[in-house]
Each structure stands twice: as C-alpha cells, then as structure tokens.
Amino acid sequence: MLGLMDPTLAKVDAFVDGQWLNRDKRFSVRNPANGKVLADVSECSAEEVKMAVDAAHRAFPEWAAKPAAERANLLYAWYKLMMNHQEDLGLILTQEQGKPLAEAKGEVAYGAGFVQWFAEEAKRIYGDTIPGPSNDKRLVVIKQPVGVVTAITPWNFPNAMIARKAAAALAAGCTFVVKPASETPLSALAMAELARRAGIPPGVFNVVTGKDAKAIGKVLTEHPLVRKFTFTGSTGVGKALIAQCAGGVKKVSMELGGNAPFIVFDDADLDAAVKGLIASKFRNAGQTCVCANRIFVQQGVYPEFSEKLTSAIKELKVGNGLDEGVTIGPLISESAVDKVQELINESVSQGARILIGGKSTDMGKLFFEPTLLGLVSNHMPIAQEEIFGPVVPMIPFVTEKEAIQLANDTEFGLAAYFYARDIGRVWRVAEGLDYGMVGINEGAISNPAAPFGGMKQSGFGREGSKYGLDDYMEIKYLCMGGI
Ligand code: NAP
C-alpha cells in the first residue's frame, strides 16, 4: 500500500507517551477511490485513552516550564520534517481521504504552516501591566498554559485540522491528546512519527485511534485531568460534546459546520467570481466546512454568470486523486453520496433544475459529477443544510438588502463570500454578514496568519493568527500590594 519514499511513516498503532501502542483489536482504513484496505489500525479502549491523558498530565509540568524559545525550536523542527516529507504525507492523505494529490500536498503545507506560525508565536506570549488604583499597588497580567488539551478531528482535513490545534496548544505550553476521524487516522499517526523525530518529548503529543468515538470521546471530554477540549466536526456532535464538557466546566472551543453564502452582485468581475467559486466550491469535492454552499446571483448577471460557470465546471475532471489532472476525487463514503443525491432529488421535486451533472459517474458511486442547479430557493433543504458534495445551487436575488437577509437566514455563521466592486457596497455587505470569516472578491481565505472560526451554531474560538493562542492560555491577574 501507499508507495511511500519513507515507508516507516506508515504507522498503524496509537501513539501514547512516546510509544506505539499495538492492540490486538483493530479496525480497517480503506481507500475511498477503490475500496481497498490500506491498513488495520489499533483500536484503543477507554482505558488506553485514559493512559494517554495521564501521560499528557505527567508531561505537562516540564513542557510548560521549558523556555518558549525551546518549545519554538521543537515546533520548528516538526514543521521542517512535515515539509521535508510533504510528498509522502500527501500520498497517505490522498489514499485515506480521496482528495487529489496536489490538494493533499497543499493541505500538508497549510497544516505545516500553522506549526511554523505557532513556533513563532510561542515566543510572543505577552502579558500586561495595568495602572493601579493606588500608589502602593502594582497590577500585572500573566498568561499561563491551561494544561492537558484533548481534541477530536474530522476526516475532511486529516492533517490540517490536527496541526491547527496541536501547534497552538504546544506553543502555549499545553500537552495534547487527539482522536482523529476513524476514516483517516494514518495522517495523524505519520504526524506523530514526525513529532517523535523532531524531539517533542514523550506524552506531549499523543494520538488515540479507534472506531468507538462515543467511548473515546467520553474520556476526552470528562476525564478530570483534562482542562480544555477542542473539536472540529459536525454541529450535532459538537453540541453533545459541549454538554459532556459542562460537567467538568472544561474550557471548550468548537469548529463546527457551515453553510457559506457566495454572493455575486451585478457590479462583480464575473470571471473572477467564477474562478473564486470553483476554488471555494470544488476543493475537496465540496467536502469542506467553508465551501460555498448557496450561490446568490443578482438578477441582471444571472444568465451570463450561469453560462461562464457552466463552461468552468465542464473543465473539472473527476477521478482517482492519484491520477494526473484529476481535480475532484471520490466522496468519502456511500452514505455521503446518498445524502448529496437526496438533497438534489428533493430540490428538483421542489422546482430546481439540473443544469449539469446530478448523479454519480460511471467510475463508481463515490465519484460524483460536478453539478450545477438552477432555480433553487433559500428554503429548500439543499440551501439550509451542508451539502458536502460538488453541487452548486444557484439562487437569484434582486436587491443588496435581500442578498444580506438571505445569506444570514441560516443557523450557521462560518464563512461567507461576495463579489462586488462598489466600495460602499463592499463595506455594507462585509459588515452586514453574520459570519466569522468573509472573503471579498476572494474564494480561498484561510492561512495561518488569519483567525479561523465561526459565529452562531458554527462554533466559538479561533484557530491560527495572533488570537489562536488565547484558547490554550489562562489569564492570571497578580495584584502586588505594600509597595
Ligand atoms: P463528525 O461526524 O462530527 O465527526 C467528527 C469527529 O467526531 C470524528 O473524529 C468522529 O469520530 C467524532 N465523533 C462522531 N460522533 C462522536 C461522538 N458521539 N462522540 C465523540 N466523537 C464523535 O463530522 P465529520 O462528518 O467527520 O466532519 C464533517 C463536519 O465537520 C462538517 O460538518 C464540517 O463542516 C465540519 N468541519 C468544520 C470545520 C471548521 O473549522 N469549522 C473544519 C472541518 C470540518 P469517527 O470518525 O470515529 O466517527
């Protein structure tokens, strides 16, 4: 399997306290492009997850006490190793997740970019001094790491969703235990091997693997030694995990689902809008939380935009992510395809029209045709739920006010995009959208320097940027008297 230049990156056991934990009980990881088993991975029980939390707790005092520059150097070494092994990490990622190799390598560089960013930020954890209420007092604020951090991550970005969290946690001085999605644990385990090679001490970065997400999640959210829990995944699961954390009053951050509006105004550069939409919508076959999910097009440019978009969609190539020139890989599972198909069928039954695509290709069920739907309306399920597939539902609108109102008419608030040239409109719309991130004349917005996160039921907390450390730090106020 895998065809790696460095086959020792193909790890199949959990990584706890610097050791590979080989269990008799195992679960299979399959390549969605051909259904073949890639690896049989150790299945951790709740006991082993507790061992990982204990190991992280033991490692915490020494890791937290290291000078920031030392933690930074270790993170930097990890970043360098990830980049040196970008090709192999990409191959692992494409084979377990399905996305085209160029995209997979892009994700590795994106994930590694967060490790590099937080290696730098580790040295800039500043406190404050505050003018006191009287001359005999001095008020000081320091920041300290929260302690043991646990995480659960999804399958759509098997590298980056871990890197974004772990890098910030480790930079802050926290220790870390992650449960990757059971479809895609191999990227996480390869990252653990590289963390080991980088010299990150035992117990600081741990990976627990398994299919019993409920049992593992219970330990990660309820163990008394866990001080902070961070989750990326669906809103439904996120809500249940928030409730589990409530018992121990854990610090929590949540990166949940999205329903991104993509608005094309009649003063937009339509070619740029088409390019931005293709980038935003079809990356990872439409399986991203920040994917354009509803495409609002102003009446005057609807026919021209639809025509240009049709031509661009026809250029996309569906296939095995390892094959040259493929831009859309398979969807992750049959149930994912069923959900996408159901949303399309329901929209058509309510009056939408299929302009291109609409079903799986003859390469197999998981390979779904890039699809364009016209005459969709905002109340249809396809416009209210995350599609998580390569489908563009177009919704016409008339006024700017209507576009903002339609865009905000959802329980989600992660990413939004719009294309317009009028400067007044740009400000009005940017400020009017209830979203954590807004792309203005831009379809690809995420990078390590920017705060990633949502509003409303898309979650809370920010990853990346100068704000990304805040979720892993406690603010402590010191009042010195008698001066
Ligand atoms: P999911 O079903 O919520 O699964 C995410 C993770 O949670 C997986 O590791 C899964 O484990 C685990 N899990 C599932 N049920 C659990 C439970 N009862 N207790 C504890 N853990 C549980 O989401 P997904 O389908 O993998 O990922 C897609 C979702 O993630 C979408 O909604 C997408 O928008 C969201 N997402 C958000 C962001 C963001 O930054 N806001 C980024 C990427 C993705 P198993 O794999 O073992 O089931």
Side-chain angles (χ1 to χ4, degrees):
M1 71 127 188
L2 301 175
L4 308 182
M5 278 177 286
D6 178 351
T8 61
L9 285 176
K11 295 293 179 201
V12 293
D13 293 319
F15 186 69
V16 172
D17 206 10
Q19 305 288 325
W20 298 102
L21 214 65
N22 182 339
R23 298 289 109 184
D24 290 341
K25 197 169 173 204
R26 311 194 74 86
F27 65 99
S28 296
V29 178
R30 287 174 191 276
N31 183 341
N34 55 25
K36 290 194 178 138
V37 172
L38 289 169
D40 289 314
V41 174
S42 278
E43 170 103 52
C44 291
S45 66
E47 273 319 300
E48 283 131 19
V49 181
K50 283 182 198 156
M51 276 168 55
V53 172
D54 287 339
H57 181 67
R58 280 195 306 277
F60 173 67
E62 206 173 310
W63 180 250
K66 267 192 198 304
E70 268 184 49
R71 288 200 305 270
N73 285 341
L74 289 165
L75 282 169
Y76 193 72
W78 194 22
Y79 153 72
K80 289 290 283 180
L81 283 165
M82 284 169 73
M83 289 312 292
N84 290 345
H85 293 279
Q86 184 183 10
E87 183 78 28
D88 276 353
L89 294 178
L91 281 168
I92 293 172
L93 211 160
T94 289
Q95 290 177 76
E96 66 176 345
Q97 199 276 341
K99 68 180 66 173
L101 185 58
E103 261 190 48
K105 283 169 29 184
E107 180 185 335
V108 172
Y110 170 78
F114 282 86
V115 181
Q116 181 191 34
W117 173 266
F118 283 113
E120 293 156 354
E121 287 298 291
K123 294 178 280 188
R124 300 189 185 106
I125 300 171
Y126 302 121
D128 272 314
T129 56
I130 303 172
S134 60
N135 276 342
D136 65 341
K137 285 194 175 69
R138 299 291 181 273
L139 318 186
V140 178
V141 173
I142 62 170
K143 291 185 183 170
Q144 292 181 306
V146 289
V148 174
V149 173
T150 55
I152 296 182
T153 53
W155 50 264
N156 61 346
F157 289 91
N159 174 303
M161 296 304 99
I162 295 173
R164 271 197 334 208
K165 297 178 188 302
L170 268 54
C174 300
T175 52
F176 192 78
V177 181
V178 60
K179 185 208 93 69
S182 51
E183 288 97 337
T184 58
L186 302 179
S187 293
L189 295 172
M191 287 167 77
E193 168 60 9
L194 294 178
R196 189 192 65 75
R197 290 186 200 174
I200 291 174
V204 172
F205 179 77
N206 307 274
V207 180
V208 291
T209 45
K211 264 193 109 78
D212 190 349
K214 257 198 172 143
I216 296 174
K218 190 169 162 56
V219 180
L220 296 180
T221 51
E222 294 180 4
H223 195 299
L225 295 178
V226 171
R227 293 306 324 142
K228 187 217 155 83
F229 175 71
T230 169
F231 176 71
T232 299
S234 58
T235 297
V237 173
K239 285 180 189 175
L241 295 173
I242 294 170
Q244 284 173 219
C245 287
V249 196
K250 316 277 190 214
K251 210 171 161 75
V252 175
S253 51
M254 290 276 147
E255 296 284 358
L256 306 176
N259 180 4
F262 187 108
I263 311 169
V264 183
F265 287 100
D266 52 14
D267 60 327
D269 173 337
L270 293 189
D271 293 317
V274 167
K275 198 163 162 239
L277 178 58
I278 295 285
S280 163
K281 177 72 243 186
F282 292 102
R283 195 161 55 103
N284 203 8
Q287 302 168 114
T288 87
C289 53
V290 293
C291 262
N293 207 58
R294 297 170 292 156
I295 290 63
F296 297 106
V297 187
Q298 200 157 14
Q299 218 174 29
V301 293
Y302 190 94
E304 192 185 348
F305 180 76
S306 163
E307 202 175 297
K308 284 176 185 282
L309 184 58
T310 304
S311 310
I313 290 177
K314 284 185 178 157
E315 300 288 306
L316 298 169
K317 188 175 166 202
V318 181
N320 183 327
L322 292 183
D323 293 344
E324 196 62 33
V326 163
T327 47
I328 301 186
L331 297 193
I332 190 73
S333 63
E334 294 210 354
S335 59
V337 174
D338 291 339
K339 191 196 155 198
V340 172
Q341 189 70 67
E342 209 177 293
L343 285 172
I344 293 174
N345 296 348
E346 218 169 332
S347 309
V348 170
S349 76
Q350 291 182 29
R353 249 212 330 261
I354 296 176
L355 302 175
I356 319 178
K359 58 182 188 332
S360 294
T361 68
D362 49 18
M363 270 173 279
K365 182 169 176 182
L366 267 48
F367 296 91
F368 206 87
E369 291 174 341
T371 297
L372 180 60
L373 293 182
L375 301 178
V376 175
S377 73
N378 202 43
H379 67 261
M380 292 180 186
I382 202 158
Q384 288 301 317
E385 294 174 27
E386 264 188 314
I387 304 169
F388 253 53
V391 183
V392 179
M394 280 197 304
I395 305 171
F397 71 91
V398 180
T399 65
E400 179 186 307
K401 199 169 158 208
E402 182 193 0
I404 296 173
Q405 184 265 321
L406 286 168
N408 288 340
D409 183 17
T410 165
E411 67 201 20
F412 295 108
L414 191 57
Y417 309 85
F418 70 94
Y419 279 68
R421 304 302 313 175
D422 178 85
I423 191 69
R425 166 173 283 168
V426 164
W427 274 106
R428 286 191 301 273
V429 178
E431 290 175 356
L433 290 169
D434 296 336
Y435 288 82
M437 297 173 281
V438 181
I440 304 163
N441 298 318
E442 181 56 62
I445 54 176
S446 182
N447 61 73
F452 191 104
M455 298 178 179
K456 294 159 80 177
Q457 293 197 26
S458 289
F460 44 84
R462 291 294 179 269
E463 294 186 340
S465 82
K466 68 171 183 171
Y467 308 103
L469 284 173
D470 294 349
D471 278 311
Y472 300 94
M473 310 287 302
E474 296 284 7
I475 287 179
K476 188 182 279 180
Y477 157 56
L478 312 176
C479 179
M480 292 184 228
I483 291 168

